[in-house]
């Protein structure tokens, strides 16, 4: 993004302010830990008391030895999730994913609450921060996702991936049938693909991946510092229909930045909490998980996703 500069004493100041306002602003940071869904130990109350609370006790004690007040998980929310792409994997090959998410009312999806979200995901911050989809109308977000690297017994590290996203409300029961319909929902996507010299096949049919029943336990939180708090999610994916075994499980926490700024204390405490959680989870943590989103893409596009 470029700043418009007018020279002169006042103009130089305006230029500097404009450049600063156009800088990269990450809205939030999310730390993610994959769990072994096959263990059958994905119980939110047990995970909170046996793993999250001990991690908080280890990493977040105040200077006087007291502990910050933590709030446990609330009632779960169930949603139906599906990812879409063309047969030629146009989105996956160019770092995009398209997710359909619909809240459930009992055993049935509620079309009135359905949302489509287009994301660009990349380990390159500048690619994510400068994607055209962040110029879209609506509530766009630029986020950092942080995962562990290293195997048990090794010194653990972290790796970041960045995502830019824009949501759209869905109407009715039908999903856009062709890629042209998707481009109509997200017009900035067409400009982005043209910038990358991608041949756009508007009449290409959209294909859905497997249907996922997503159960999310949220509302848990703990302070990280002044005006900063970590909010936790325990997300479990099940194959459809109801009653199927869990296929993916993830424990995560995130905190919002202060208009792109994070204090050293908050960053340090967030990182300490992440490593403490990894330690308390023990064998419940999956050190070599199948990536969550690619596992739910159309089968022919899973290898194309990064």
């Amino acid at each position: 993004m470029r700043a418009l500069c007018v020279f002169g004493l006042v103009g130089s100041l305006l230029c500097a302010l404009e450049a600063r306002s156009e800088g990269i602003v990450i809205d939030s940071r999310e730390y993610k830990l994959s769990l072994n869904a096959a263990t059958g130990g994905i119980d939110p109350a047990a995970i909170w008391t046996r793993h999250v609370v001990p991690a908080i006790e280890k990493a977040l004690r105040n200077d006087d030895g007291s502990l910050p007040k933590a709030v446990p998980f609330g009632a779960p929310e169930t949603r139906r999730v599906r990812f879409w792409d063309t047969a030629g994997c146009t989105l996956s090959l160019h770092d995009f994913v398209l997710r359909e998410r619909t809240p459930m009312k009992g055993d049935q999806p509620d079309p009135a609450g359905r949302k489509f979200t287009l994301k660009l995901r990349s380990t390159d911050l500048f690619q994510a921060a400068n994607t055209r989809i962040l110029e879209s109308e609506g509530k766009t977000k630029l986020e950092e996702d942080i995962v562990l690297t290293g195997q048990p017994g090794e010194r653990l590290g972290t790796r970041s991936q960045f995502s830019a996203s824009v949501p759209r409300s869905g109407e009715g029961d039908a999903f856009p049938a062709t890629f042209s319909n998707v481009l109509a929902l997200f017009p900035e996507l067409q400009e982005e693909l043209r910038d990358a010299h991608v041949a756009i096949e508007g009449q290409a049919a959209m294909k859905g991946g497997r249907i996922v029943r997503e159960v999310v336990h949220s509302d848990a939180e703990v302070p990280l510092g002044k005006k900063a708090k970590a909010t936790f999610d325990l997300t479990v994916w099940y194959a459809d229909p109801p009653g199927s075994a869990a296929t993916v499980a993830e424990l995560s926490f995130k905190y919002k930045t202060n208009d792109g700024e994070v204090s050293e204390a908050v960053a340090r405490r967030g990182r300490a909490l992440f490593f403490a959680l990894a330690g308390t989870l023990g064998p419940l943590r999956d050190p070599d998980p199948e990536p969550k989103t690619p596992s739910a893409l159309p089968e022919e596009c899973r290898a194309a996703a990064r």
Side-chain angles (χ1 to χ4, degrees), residues 117-120 133-134 139-143 163-167:
T117 300
L118 178 69
K119 283 190 177 188
L120 182 141
I133 69 172
L134 288 177
K139 189 177 181 180
T140 61
K141 291 189 294 185
L142 177 62
E143 300 170 295
S163 67
S165 63
V166 57

Side-chain angles (χ1 to χ4, degrees), residues 9-188:
L9 181 60
V10 176
S12 296
L13 177 60
L14 291 175
C15 177
L17 291 173
E18 178 72 11
R20 184 175 180 182
S21 70
E22 291 293 328
I24 294 175
V25 176
I26 296 175
D27 297 302
S28 63
R29 311 180 79 201
E30 185 167 14
Y31 292 83
K32 297 184 174 185
L33 290 160
S34 294
L35 307 180
N36 282 307
T39 63
I42 313 301
D43 175 74
I47 285 177
W48 182 260
T49 57
R50 297 175 189 173
H51 304 292
V52 179
V53 170
I56 291 172
E57 293 173 347
K58 181 178 180 179
L60 299 184
R61 285 193 179 273
N62 299 315
D63 292 340
D64 61 2
S66 63
L67 289 170
K69 183 179 179 181
V71 178
F73 293 115
E77 180 182 359
T78 303
R79 306 176 288 208
R80 189 184 73 172
V81 173
R82 200 173 192 189
F83 292 87
W84 296 80
D85 207 334
T86 66
C89 308
T90 303
L91 295 174
S92 300
L93 286 170
H94 297 92
D95 301 321
F96 287 97
V97 293
L98 179 60
R99 182 187 67 209
E100 175 191 14
R101 179 180 273 164
T102 309
M104 301 291 289
K105 279 189 175 181
D107 290 336
Q108 298 299 318
D110 178 14
R114 186 173 61 160
K115 287 186 178 179
F116 304 124
T117 300
L118 178 69
K119 283 190 177 188
L120 182 141
R121 306 187 310 157
S122 176
T123 54
D124 189 321
L125 170 60
F126 293 96
Q127 180 189 10
N130 291 293
T131 174
R132 286 181 179 270
I133 69 172
L134 288 177
E135 301 169 7
S136 305
E137 294 182 2
K139 189 177 181 180
T140 61
K141 291 189 294 185
L142 177 62
E143 300 170 295
E144 180 183 9
D145 293 336
I146 303 165
V147 298
L148 281 177
T149 59
Q151 297 296 315
E154 299 177 354
R155 180 177 174 84
L156 299 177
T158 61
R159 178 176 60 84
S160 291
Q161 184 176 61
F162 304 91
S163 67
S165 63
V166 57
R168 289 285 183 267
S169 296
E171 297 180 1
D173 296 322
F175 187 85
T178 67
F179 196 49
S180 287
N181 300 141
V182 174
L183 296 176
L185 271 178
F186 303 98
E188 288 77 13

Side-chain angles (χ1 to χ4, degrees), residues 34-42 236-238 245-249 283-286:
S34 294
L35 307 180
N36 282 307
T39 63
I42 313 301
V236 187
W237 279 7
Y238 299 87
T247 58
V248 173
L284 186 57
R285 181 175 74 86
D286 187 349

Side-chain angles (χ1 to χ4, degrees), residues 29 31 59-60 62 68 221-232 253-256 262-263 265-274:
R29 311 180 79 201
Y31 292 83
L60 299 184
N62 299 315
E221 61 182 51
V222 65
L224 283 179
K226 290 183 178 179
K227 298 182 180 180
K229 63 181 178 182
T231 58
F232 293 83
F253 68 89
K254 70 163 39 176
Y255 61 84
K256 295 180 180 179
V262 176
S263 71
V266 168
R268 172 169 38 82
R269 287 163 70 86
R271 185 175 174 85
L273 178 59
F274 189 43

